[in-house]
Amino acid sequence: MRTTPGPGLLFVLVCAMAAGPVMNYGISATSTLIMADLGISEGQFGLLAATCFASAALSSMSLGQLSDRISARSQMLLIFGGTALSLVLMAVSGNYVWLLAAVLLSGPAQAISNPTTNRIIIHAVPPGKRPGWMGIKQSGVQASQLFSSLFFPAAALLAGWRGAAIGAAVVLGLLLAYSWHRLPAEPRNSAPKQAKRPRSERGFPAAVWLLAAFALFSGAGMQATNVYLPLFAQRELGFSLLLAGATAAAAGVVGVASRVLWGRRMAEGVRASTLLLILAAGAICGAGLLLAAGETGIPGLLWAGVLFHGASVLGVNVVVMAGVLREVPKERVGAASGAVSLGMYTGFASGPLVMGLLLQFSGGFLDGWIFIGCAYLVCVLVGLAYRRLGSGRRGGRAASRSASTAPDGDSRQGGQKPAAGTPEPAQPDQPA
């Protein structure tokens, strides 16, 4: 990048992260209207989100690699233009099959958002500021949740859910125009060919795959909650359409703050594994509170569950993606982000689908909340494995440093000292 990073670029990154999920959050916020209009069941409704995220998962690896090769402007066109086109198709959908096609189209636009924004950050932002920028740009997803949860119900009361989709598409078109002119032109640099890489460098470090696993299970619980929270509030606690949408909006507000907060904690040097374990514990508390709200009918428990949901699991992505930047070289950030996105979107796809099936066949939300709580328990185990891996690598580096203090001055590389200014490799669990 040839630009000095500033508020304008940061706003573009936030909007790029916010664009992809607009359709999903909009469908969730107007779930009762869509289900009644098209005559679909709870299981079919869950399949909508599952289809979108399955499409994102299938395309995440290839789009992650593509993001290392094409310009940022081209990627913004895929993100904003692809989502706007899917919203238009949603608006003209005459039946459930066409709506499925619309959500299928929106998947790739979401899949490339993390690789695109991560690539921009690692090329344009100084290392010390990257975790903070990650926290702010990742908050775009929850900003999207806030916008959609308020905009879609209000617009649907005036113009129906189809009119709300058209209005959201217009907003994305305006954001595309702004981003197109805000980003500077850049040369298209081809990524190094895999065939020229040593075999050991063609894959990703084990830490990347652990981050992908954490993203998978946390994503399953997160999206199952996001998709069904408004419907849960209406059916189990008797909330109105607007008030039910406000529950998702509240989660979005808390999620924006939490992602910024966790990004700052990363920048201050807190270990990623520590934050992931804290977030997993908070997510378990949130699922338990929502379960209790459904069983008791107490609105206060629901709002407390929303608070924990927004403060914990909605902040996972910033920690996971900040970890990716520390594990791979600059030229592979897009591909590594795509690998982690594969896990994340697989979780996004499976969570709402399982939740919908459990709701349809059990007739209530109890089994769904238990499923979500179990997914978060698995996150605790993955977080512990990631912590252990980081501790092992730190121990190995400590032994190396001890050997390097031999009387001859340095035992590395046959006694040769590293060149001045050569950086140490980043640890998976420590700031770069």
Side-chain angles (χ1 to χ4, degrees):
M1 290 288 174
R2 298 180 179 178
T3 182
T4 301
L9 179 60
L10 185 57
F11 177 72
V12 168
L13 297 179
V14 171
C15 292
M17 291 300 302
V22 164
M23 184 175 183
N24 288 333
Y25 289 131
I27 288 176
S28 176
T30 54
S31 55
T32 53
L33 299 179
I34 294 174
M35 292 171 69
D37 190 12
L38 299 181
I40 61 178
S41 66
E42 292 89 348
Q44 288 177 308
F45 180 74
L47 185 60
L48 291 173
T51 299
C52 170
F53 294 128
S55 172
L58 290 174
S59 58
S60 62
M61 290 290 286
S62 58
L63 288 174
Q65 295 170 359
L66 180 67
S67 72
D68 287 326
R69 297 194 297 269
I70 66 174
S71 68
R73 283 185 175 181
S74 299
Q75 294 175 61
M76 291 297 173
L77 180 61
L78 291 174
I79 293 171
F80 291 105
T83 305
L85 183 60
S86 66
L87 284 166
V88 172
L89 183 57
M90 169 185 169
V92 300
S93 298
N95 53 48
Y96 178 68
V97 174
W98 279 104
L99 188 56
L100 272 176
V103 297
L104 183 69
L105 179 63
S106 70
Q110 295 191 57
I112 199 173
S113 59
N114 268 308
T116 296
T117 52
N118 288 354
R119 175 179 175 269
I120 292 173
I121 284 177
I122 203 166
H123 283 89
V125 181
K129 296 184 178 180
R130 287 172 190 166
W133 274 58
M134 289 292 294
I136 296 174
K137 74 98 174 175
Q138 292 293 150
S139 70
V141 177
Q142 269 52 67
S144 175
Q145 184 176 17
L146 172 61
F147 166 78
S148 300
S149 299
L150 296 177
F151 176 83
F152 272 80
L157 292 178
L158 297 176
W161 62 271
R162 300 176 190 275
I166 291 293
V170 172
V171 173
L172 290 178
L174 295 174
L175 290 175
L176 171 61
Y178 176 81
S179 300
W180 187 268
H181 292 288
R182 183 63 184 80
L183 288 173
E186 58 178 336
R188 295 189 178 186
N189 296 321
S190 297
K193 295 182 179 180
Q194 291 287 341
K196 295 182 179 179
R197 289 180 175 273
R199 181 178 296 273
S200 61
E201 295 182 8
R202 295 180 191 175
F204 299 113
V208 170
W209 296 114
L210 285 175
L211 291 171
F214 198 100
L216 188 156
F217 290 102
S218 63
M222 178 176 70
Q223 282 303 326
T225 304
N226 285 340
V227 169
Y228 282 97
L229 182 60
L231 186 63
F232 170 71
Q234 287 183 271
R235 288 193 178 182
E236 301 295 319
L237 287 94
F239 284 21
S240 66
L241 176 66
L242 288 177
L243 188 58
T247 62
V253 171
V254 177
V256 169
S258 74
R259 291 194 170 194
V260 174
L261 170 65
W262 299 125
R264 288 179 177 174
R265 297 295 290 163
M266 287 281 287
E268 291 168 359
V270 179
R271 296 172 64 179
S273 62
T274 299
L275 294 180
L276 291 177
L277 290 172
I278 292 173
L279 295 176
I284 293 171
C285 292
L289 286 167
L290 292 172
L291 184 154
E295 294 300 300
T296 63
I298 299 176
L301 291 175
L302 182 145
W303 291 110
V306 167
L307 175 64
F308 271 88
H309 173 68
S312 59
V313 71
L314 294 187
V316 165
N317 210 331
V318 62
V319 180
V320 168
M321 288 300 172
V324 170
L325 300 187
R326 298 170 180 172
E327 295 297 335
V328 295
K330 288 183 178 182
E331 64 271 14
R332 302 205 71 203
V333 164
S337 299
V340 174
S341 295
L342 172 62
M344 180 179 66
Y345 287 119
T346 300
F348 285 3
S350 60
L353 179 60
V354 173
M355 185 77 165
L357 293 175
L358 290 173
L359 176 59
Q360 183 173 346
F361 290 108
S362 69
F365 284 86
L366 176 62
D367 292 345
W369 296 128
I370 293 175
F371 155 71
I372 290 172
C374 290
Y376 294 150
L377 284 173
V378 176
C379 288
V380 173
L381 299 178
V382 175
L384 290 172
Y386 180 60
R387 187 179 186 86
R388 183 175 182 181
L389 176 65
S391 297
R393 288 176 64 173
R394 280 194 308 279
R397 288 185 64 201
S400 247
R401 287 185 183 131
S402 178
S404 72
T405 60
D408 61 352
D410 200 318
S411 63
R412 290 176 291 183
Q413 302 292 330
Q416 296 297 320
K417 294 183 179 181
T422 301
E424 291 283 353
Q427 300 175 19
D429 219 13
Q430 295 276 3

